[in-house]
Amino acid sequence: MSEQDDILRQTAKVLTLRYMENLNQSDIAKQLGLSTAKVNRVIKQAHDDGLVEITLNLPQERTHTLEQRMLDAFGLKTAVIQPSLSKDESVVTRQVAKAAGELLIETVKPDSVICISGGKTMAQIVEEIKPMSFPNVRVVPATGGIQGHHFTDVNYLASRLAEKLGGSSTQLHAPLFVDTDEQRSILMEMRSIKEVLDLARSADIALVGVGSVASESDSYYDLRSLSGHQAETVISAQCKGEVLAHLYDEDGNKCAEHINQKLIGLNLQELNNIEHSIGVAATHSKVDALVAALKGRLMNGIVSDEDTVARVLELIK
């Protein structure tokens, strides 16, 4: 047996004793005739080499009181609220994304059509979903795409989600933003685009991110800049949020329509017409956008976190 084989065998023994038999490092050292420092180095190296994966199967307790208050306050069909177990926003967002994925699996039927938005939140949701087998499910983009951010692009995410669900996807070969009303009219009447958007309009489920537009660091402005458009002061001054890149004001009504009218995709009324229209928003940065979206009844389902929802409910008193 080679020296490398000896090292791997020793590592396997240490990891088995630590993580399967729950021995502490001191007991492992005694059992294997090693120093405690050596055991510690082996475990650390195993983590660095990707030999150890830690999965926390925490109880996904929904905060039922907050959920019921959201259902009552906004006439929602569905509200899934995750406990805020961390102050790290990336952890909270990941937990909410996992809950959104679980809700999607609970809602989907064998022949469902699902339309989705692009973006970072959607990318996390797709990542959290475990492989399933829904061979007749179809996933379709609800909007055009953005060049430059492949892993958050709506076409890539539709394809990836379909792969996770064991179904199929349809691609929308069109930009998210266009320069003129004329360009939009031409594109929206193109057969290849019209057929995809008609399929999205007939979806059983829509899963979309709820975005803030309060700061130029928000993802919406990144989409605008990647499309060759400059940020406009009217957006942050008059608008409270965006869904499917459509801007809306504090009451969930249309805002900055001269910008919205240059989008390729479903509009907010078409989103609202879908049987299960689920918005996903996590962390305090999304509070104002979420309040306005809920006031405007832009969707009939929501997935969020406990702290964010508590603040939403405070603001609508």
Side-chain angles (χ1 to χ4, degrees), residues 231-270:
E232 298 187 32
T233 54
V234 66
I235 297 176
S236 58
Q238 298 181 9
C239 307
K240 285 297 182 183
E242 60 85 15
V243 170
L244 299 179
H246 279 270
L247 298 162
Y248 53 87
D249 65 15
E250 63 183 0
D251 294 314
N253 297 319
K254 297 173 183 177
C255 181
E257 270 295 273
H258 66 289
I259 299 174
N260 291 341
Q261 288 171 358
K262 296 184 175 61
L263 288 166
I264 302 297
L266 301 193
N267 60 42
L268 297 180
Q269 182 57 56
E270 290 168 334

Side-chain angles (χ1 to χ4, degrees), residues 67-127:
E67 289 176 355
Q68 190 59 52
R69 288 177 65 191
M70 290 290 282
L71 295 174
D72 295 341
F74 299 105
L76 298 171
K77 287 184 179 180
T78 308
V80 176
I81 313 304
Q82 284 296 97
S84 298
L85 301 175
S86 173
K87 296 301 181 184
D88 185 328
E89 290 195 351
S90 66
V91 172
V92 174
T93 301
R94 191 163 64 247
Q95 291 172 334
V96 170
K98 182 177 181 181
E102 291 171 351
L103 176 60
L104 177 63
I105 298 304
E106 290 174 13
T107 309
V108 73
K109 296 179 180 177
D111 57 352
S112 289
V113 175
I114 305 166
C115 74
I116 65 169
S117 65
K120 296 175 184 176
T121 299
M122 189 58 56
Q124 287 193 302
I125 293 170
V126 172
E127 185 63 29

Side-chain angles (χ1 to χ4, degrees), residues 139-166:
V139 184
V140 59
T143 70
I146 292 288
Q147 296 294 319
H149 281 193
H150 176 69
F151 294 108
T152 57
D153 176 70
V154 67
N155 279 316
Y156 169 78
L157 293 175
S159 175
R160 185 76 178 117
L161 178 57
E163 182 183 333
K164 284 286 190 82
L165 297 176

